[in-house]
Amino acid sequence: MAIGKYDPEKIEKKWQQNWKDSGCFEVEVDPSKPKYYVLEMFPYPSGKIHMGHVRNYSIGDVVARFKSMQGFNVLHPMGWDAFGLPAENAAIKNETHPAEWTYQNISEMREQLQRLGYSYDWRREIASCRPEYYKWEQKFFLKFLEKGLAYRKDSPQNWCPGCNTVLANEQVEEGLCWRCDSEVEQKDMEQWFLRITDYADELLKDLESLEGGWPERVLTMQRNWIGKSYGAELTFQVKDMDATIDVFTTRPDTLFGATFMSVAAEHPMVEQLIADADNRDEIEAFVNNIRNMDRIKRGADDLEKEGIFTGRYCVNPVTGQDIPIYVANFVLMGYGTGAVMAVPAHDQRDFEFARKYGLELRTVINPPELHAKGEVLDEASMEAAYADPGVLVNSGDFDGMENEPAKKAVVEHLDKSGLGKMAVNYRLRDWNVSRQRFWGAPIPVIYCDKCGVVPVPEDQLPVLLPENAQVRKDGKSPLPEMEEFVNCTCPECGMAARRETDTFDTFFESSWYYMRYCDPRNEETPFSKEATSYWMNVDQYIGGIEHAILHLLYSRFFTKALRDNGFIEAKEPFANLLTQGMVLKDGGKMSKSKGNVVDPNAMINEYGADATRLFILFASPPVKELEWSDQGIEGAFRFLSRLWRLMEELEETLSPVMPTSADAPKSDAAKQLRFKEHDTVRRVTRDIENEFQFNTAIAAVMELVNEMYGLKDQLGDEPEALSSAMATAVTLLSPVAPHVCEELWQALGHADHLAVQPWPAYDEGALVKDEVTLVVQVNGKVRGKFQAANNADKDEVEKTALEQENVAKFIEGKTVRKVIVIPNKLVNIVAN
């Protein structure tokens, strides 16, 4: 057929419809084939895709198409993270219902993604706001409740008055809500939690199995978030009160140097400690101020240390000294016990605090160099805490011990009197899954005055979110005011009861969606074991580094919890993780306020989906930031046009052969093209498999096209060489620019889809050249080059090198002392 003009819009529409009609990317469980599950993090349906989406999904699509052509049964699904604050706030702003807003946006974004030609199995599409999806997470919650993994407790929470909901610590930035910038308050509320801490050790240990598959940076972030530390739990008696305060410390060796105690503003003992204080109002004002501070900021090393004396003392269990108790801004309830034994001579935060408030410093760990001279660290002259190893002093019977063995010895001593024991502590805290917003999955519990908290029976699931609710402009959930939703019958006693009006944190939905993709239309179970046993775990997961902690940690927890409850067999959700870099423009992150947003639709309209994909994959390695360039996408379009013109020019010459099929070249030009063709297959395969270096893989295909242009006029008698090379170029480029490559494949005379063709193989024999270029050096400097037979005789190589005209000039009048030959590469002549 005549190939005609390169018309991206026409070609792309044609092949998108063709793939849809043929079910080209639809897959089922097939134990006869190896599986490969590639997944990009599903998007929040904002209404428009941005270039960050295009980069993320283009990376995943190349992997999916590449693996499919390698013979894998590839699962590559897409869906929508559709519940949560963003959709609800946007709907309120636009004076529409969250459901209407969300479904409209899903429709628009689906159309945008389909325009880019991604190889999704759209039959598996899910939206987390659909009852057929959240029904199953309600079932999971009931199972967790039954097993004691879900529980309800009263605790201080980050409360955003602008969004009218609880925020996770990570959603508080500089004391403000990450969504609306309202000042965050602390509010005591009864909330539902999941016991993620029960899995702390397993979550930490199993990170070892992800080494090599996950970025080291992400593994470190997860380890730090779990925050396992070994130490001791010590008990301090509060003076003149029938009460004790427990502290966790990793430095029991410094206990003799504890000269005051610091407690968190949220510590449950604070109210009792200050009950009789003369300045109680002042202390309460300080406590309230600290409770409303950004917790991340409170834990920062550079925070200015502030505190207030409670008026109470506790007793150091080894010195018997009365030490003052302070409320301090740098102590967090979320770590340890919320109380810290302060050792200012050996902890920098305590040192700064003690200097500010004139509190005692006592040296108990002496630097080895001073100890050897019989000297002791002078507290008065200290400019910073001494936190390095040393020898115990001023520590009673433990004087003279090295501080590391002293840690155990001190705790064993305290254990005998019931004042201390060895302990392990975690930074990780249980997951608060309650949200006081409308647009989320209802938590399936009922409150009965007689029976208490009652789980909704499974045969009554899903508890439907009433989509006829009128959302409020202030963001408060309308659910508590909807009698038809709240009022119900207790399933145990039949009396009048009330439904829970909180909804699940949106991370609840995103923690298991990848499992539902395995069996998305199952109406009897969330997914069959047959499906998850075959498809899970995800072989390649792709998404932004901003999800390195919460989403990934919660997903890992969900996988383990569902495994223990008999739903799946997998231990980890994602075998490999790629965190792609951001797309920048003019050196900054794209944003509407900066006026530097590039609209993917505009790029597709002007240059086509293939050129858009090609540029976004060619401009930078996927893990690096990508600077948008108008010239870059124009260059991508020019390359595809150049490839098209080459096909136009050779159309009458080319025949429908398979890639790398020209195996008997006669002329030097054919041999040269065959070498380049096979070398390109080798390089592209290596670069895609080796950390997805798409930019260098694309560059290799460009070089092959250049070679074809340069040699085509010399291959009139060997058209099979050009046919093979063209088939190879089009096949190798197809995961990146699938539409134009399908069209060119068809133009070559092939009937089947290119997408289902096998990935080309290269012949090692084709990479062996008849002749090689050797570089000649004289005394380490390049003085010439010459052609020689591959693996030529060493003596012949030496002779030819010495005869080179330029070489002879530089050794004239000198004695050749040595000739070093590196076969097929280099001749180095030493002469003086």
Side-chain angles (χ1 to χ4, degrees):
M1 70 175 193
I3 189 170
K5 179 186 175 184
Y6 178 40
D7 183 345
E9 182 179 7
K10 179 181 177 182
I11 291 167
E12 289 164 7
K13 284 182 178 179
K14 167 187 171 180
W15 286 104
Q16 288 159 16
Q17 189 63 47
N18 204 313
W19 293 326
K20 180 180 178 180
D21 293 343
S22 65
C24 193
F25 307 119
E26 296 175 0
V27 293
E28 302 294 346
V29 169
D30 185 354
S32 69
K33 294 180 68 176
K35 69 90 181 180
Y36 194 89
Y37 186 176
V38 58
L39 181 63
E40 307 95 54
M41 294 180 184
F42 70 164
Y44 147 64
S46 60
K48 287 186 177 181
I49 63 170
H50 52 68
M51 278 301 171
H53 289 129
V54 175
R55 190 179 200 198
N56 187 0
Y57 306 145
S58 296
I59 291 168
D61 199 50
V62 173
V63 176
R65 289 173 178 273
F66 173 68
K67 287 296 180 181
S68 179
M69 296 176 84
Q70 284 191 317
F72 288 90
N73 191 25
V74 174
L75 177 59
H76 188 209
M78 175 49 71
W80 314 99
D81 191 7
F83 267 146
L85 269 179
E88 187 168 353
N89 286 348
I92 293 170
K93 182 179 179 181
N94 289 276
E95 298 184 347
T96 187
H97 193 280
E100 181 182 344
W101 172 263
T102 298
Y103 293 132
Q104 178 62 35
N105 287 350
I106 287 174
S107 177
E108 292 178 9
M109 289 182 72
R110 183 193 302 114
E111 182 180 343
Q112 291 173 313
L113 293 180
Q114 288 172 341
R115 285 194 71 191
L116 281 153
Y118 295 135
S119 59
Y120 297 128
D121 183 350
W122 282 104
R123 301 173 308 153
R124 296 175 181 266
E125 179 185 11
I126 60 173
S128 62
C129 62
R130 298 291 303 171
E132 59 267 27
Y133 181 85
Y134 66 73
K135 166 185 179 178
W136 301 114
E137 66 189 47
Q138 291 177 342
K139 178 174 180 174
F140 297 152
F141 179 83
L142 294 179
K143 184 63 71 173
F144 294 161
L145 187 60
E146 176 188 332
K147 298 291 186 180
L149 271 179
Y151 68 97
R152 196 165 177 249
K153 72 171 183 178
D154 191 74
S155 65
Q157 299 297 320
N158 299 314
W159 176 260
C160 173
C163 293
N164 280 294
T165 192
V166 162
L167 301 175
N169 291 342
E170 303 72 38
Q171 296 168 328
V172 181
E173 299 173 350
E174 298 294 322
L176 304 178
C177 172
W178 68 323
R179 285 290 176 194
C180 70
D181 288 334
S182 296
E183 190 167 319
V184 174
E185 305 166 356
Q186 290 294 303
K187 191 173 183 179
D188 290 324
M189 301 181 68
E190 202 160 28
Q191 305 277 278
W192 284 100
F193 291 81
L194 296 184
R195 294 187 195 275
I196 190 173
T197 52
D198 282 6
Y199 287 83
D201 266 327
E202 188 179 356
L203 287 167
L204 186 63
K205 184 176 185 302
D206 285 354
L207 288 172
E208 296 175 7
S209 69
L210 302 175
E211 291 177 357
W214 283 33
E216 189 58 40
R217 177 187 176 192
V218 175
L219 294 175
T220 298
M221 292 168 77
Q222 292 245 326
R223 289 190 179 102
N224 291 342
W225 192 257
I226 295 168
K228 185 175 184 178
S229 54
Y230 296 91
E233 193 170 281
L234 311 177
T235 301
F236 288 69
Q237 177 68 46
V238 180
K239 188 177 181 183
D240 299 330
M241 285 181 65
D242 184 20
T244 59
I245 297 177
D246 291 332
V247 304
F248 173 82
T249 178
T250 59
R251 296 295 306 273
D253 53 319
T254 65
L255 177 57
F256 283 83
T259 59
F260 64 95
M261 178 174 286
S262 305
V263 299
E266 299 85 359
H267 196 286
M269 282 285 291
V270 168
E271 189 173 342
Q272 191 176 351
L273 291 171
I274 68 174
D276 299 326
D278 293 337
N279 61 335
R280 177 172 177 172
D281 290 346
E282 180 188 0
I283 299 173
E284 286 181 340
F286 177 84
V287 167
N288 289 333
N289 182 52
I290 298 304
R291 282 167 60 105
N292 288 326
M293 279 182 65
D294 178 4
R295 296 185 193 184
I296 304 295
K297 187 176 180 180
R298 281 172 65 184
D301 291 337
D302 60 355
L303 172 74
E304 183 179 351
K305 311 303 183 289
E306 293 182 345
I308 192 166
F309 179 44
T310 62
R312 289 284 183 179
Y313 294 82
C314 61
V315 181
N316 184 313
V318 290
T319 67
Q321 177 187 3
D322 293 346
I323 61 176
I325 304 172
Y326 279 75
V327 177
N329 64 345
F330 60 88
V331 182
L332 300 174
M333 198 64 210
Y335 182 77
T337 64
V340 175
M341 66 171 211
V343 186
H346 305 292
D347 180 273
Q348 186 59 31
R349 294 184 311 168
D350 297 340
F351 178 87
E352 294 172 18
F353 191 90
R355 285 289 195 235
K356 182 171 183 175
Y357 293 100
L359 300 170
E360 179 189 0
L361 274 71
R362 182 183 302 137
T363 299
V364 292
I365 307 292
N366 205 27
E369 60 274 15
L370 289 182
H371 198 74
K373 294 187 290 186
E375 300 176 7
V376 178
L377 197 63
D378 177 31
E379 296 97 341
S381 62
M382 290 177 69
E383 296 181 356
Y386 178 76
D388 292 331
V391 181
L392 266 67
V393 294
N394 300 321
S395 299
D397 294 341
F398 302 97
D399 280 357
M401 287 187 71
E402 298 284 339
N403 74 292
E404 280 301 323
K407 291 179 180 180
K408 183 177 180 183
V410 169
V411 177
E412 287 176 345
H413 168 74
L414 291 171
D415 191 36
K416 294 174 183 176
S417 55
L419 294 175
K421 61 182 179 180
M422 298 302 292
V424 175
N425 190 66
Y426 296 91
R427 181 177 184 268
L428 182 68
R429 288 293 174 262
D430 284 340
W431 175 12
N432 178 355
V433 296
S434 292
R435 295 295 180 268
Q436 294 69 47
R437 291 297 292 253
F438 165 72
W439 192 236
I443 297 176
V445 293
I446 290 169
Y447 300 106
C448 174
D449 291 339
K450 178 181 178 183
C451 304
V453 177
V454 182
V456 172
E458 282 192 25
D459 61 5
Q460 294 182 21
L461 298 181
V463 176
L464 291 171
L465 184 71
E467 293 193 2
N468 63 336
Q470 296 299 310
V471 294
R472 296 170 45 137
K473 289 185 178 181
D474 61 5
K476 288 183 179 179
S477 173
L479 292 178
E481 301 168 2
M482 296 184 67
E483 293 186 6
E484 65 273 30
F485 176 80
V486 175
N487 297 333
C488 61
T489 301
C490 174
E492 291 188 0
C493 70
M495 302 291 287
R498 305 174 309 281
R499 289 196 187 279
E500 171 65 81
T501 56
D502 282 358
T503 54
F504 283 130
D505 174 15
T506 187
F507 280 116
F508 209 98
E509 282 84 53
S510 61
S511 293
W512 72 279
Y513 76 105
Y514 48 90
M515 302 181 200
R516 182 63 174 171
Y517 280 140
C518 298
D519 195 10
R521 300 296 171 257
N522 195 323
E523 297 180 2
E524 303 301 320
T525 63
F527 32 74
S528 71
K529 283 193 174 182
E530 176 195 18
T532 54
S533 295
Y534 179 74
W535 291 116
M536 285 293 295
N537 48 15
V538 176
D539 295 282
Q540 184 62 60
Y541 199 37
I542 304 165
I545 191 71
E546 65 271 19
H547 300 295
I549 297 178
L550 291 188
H551 164 58
L552 293 175
L553 191 65
Y554 292 155
S555 296
R556 296 182 63 226
F557 160 68
F558 243 80
T559 299
K560 297 173 188 303
L562 292 182
R563 173 204 63 198
D564 290 348
N565 281 277
F567 287 99
I568 58 170
E569 297 174 355
K571 288 178 61 178
E572 287 287 338
F574 316 119
N576 297 284
L577 173 69
L578 186 151
T579 53
Q580 85 280 356
M582 287 195 301
V583 180
L584 310 177
K585 191 169 190 294
D586 304 326
K589 183 178 179 181
M590 290 187 185
S591 70
K592 292 179 181 178
S593 62
K594 293 180 181 178
N596 64 348
V597 173
V598 176
D599 180 11
N601 277 337
M603 295 301 103
I604 295 170
N605 291 338
E606 186 167 357
Y607 300 105
D610 284 330
T612 304
R613 291 168 55 128
L614 178 64
F615 167 72
I616 209 110
L617 294 164
F618 181 59
S620 172
V623 297
K624 303 289 187 182
E625 290 180 339
L626 184 156
E627 178 71 28
W628 180 265
S629 163
D630 292 339
Q631 293 77 21
I633 193 169
E634 289 167 5
F637 179 77
R638 284 197 304 271
F639 169 69
L640 294 179
S641 299
R642 190 164 184 262
L643 177 61
W644 186 274
R645 289 195 303 272
L646 182 61
M647 176 67 82
E648 275 188 296
E649 187 174 336
L650 299 176
E651 189 171 7
E652 298 302 322
T653 304
L654 301 178
S655 57
V657 301
M658 298 301 288
T660 63
S661 59
D663 57 2
K666 300 179 181 65
S667 66
D668 289 344
K671 291 176 182 178
Q672 183 178 335
L673 184 57
R674 182 171 184 259
F675 173 86
K676 190 66 175 179
E677 179 184 1
H678 285 258
D679 187 51
T680 303
V681 174
R682 178 186 65 83
R683 290 169 59 191
V684 172
T685 306
R686 176 199 64 198
D687 290 350
I688 294 179
E689 289 184 331
N690 181 24
E691 298 182 357
F692 307 133
Q693 299 300 311
F694 306 126
N695 55 325
T696 53
I698 293 167
V701 177
M702 290 177 172
E703 290 176 20
L704 175 58
V705 173
N706 289 341
E707 194 87 337
M708 292 169 67
Y709 264 104
L711 296 173
K712 60 185 173 61
D713 293 338
Q714 303 173 44
L715 293 167
D717 295 332
E718 295 181 82
E720 63 276 7
L722 285 169
S723 296
S724 176
M726 179 61 82
T728 297
V730 167
T731 305
L732 295 179
L733 192 63
S734 65
V736 174
H739 309 87
V740 66
C741 290
E742 285 277 14
E743 188 72 10
L744 294 176
W745 181 255
Q746 187 180 71
L748 280 168
H750 296 280
D752 294 336
H753 285 132
L754 177 54
V756 301
Q757 298 305 309
W759 188 254
Y762 63 90
D763 181 358
E764 290 283 358
L767 301 177
V768 178
K769 291 184 175 180
D770 294 338
E771 285 192 339
V772 294
T773 300
L774 285 93
V775 174
V776 185
Q777 292 181 342
V778 177
N779 295 329
K781 293 185 177 180
V782 176
R783 300 302 185 189
K785 296 179 182 179
F786 67 94
Q787 296 293 117
N790 189 29
N791 294 321
D793 178 73
K794 180 176 178 292
D795 293 337
E796 184 65 30
V797 169
E798 283 188 24
K799 180 175 180 294
T800 305
L802 292 167
E803 291 173 349
Q804 298 299 303
E805 182 178 347
N806 197 48
V807 172
K809 181 170 67 174
F810 281 95
I811 62 175
E812 185 177 356
K814 297 178 182 178
T815 302
V816 175
R817 302 294 182 183
K818 187 186 294 184
V819 179
I820 303 167
V821 176
I822 300 176
N824 296 332
K825 291 185 178 179
L826 177 70
V827 180
N828 190 13
I829 300 168
V830 181
N832 55 27

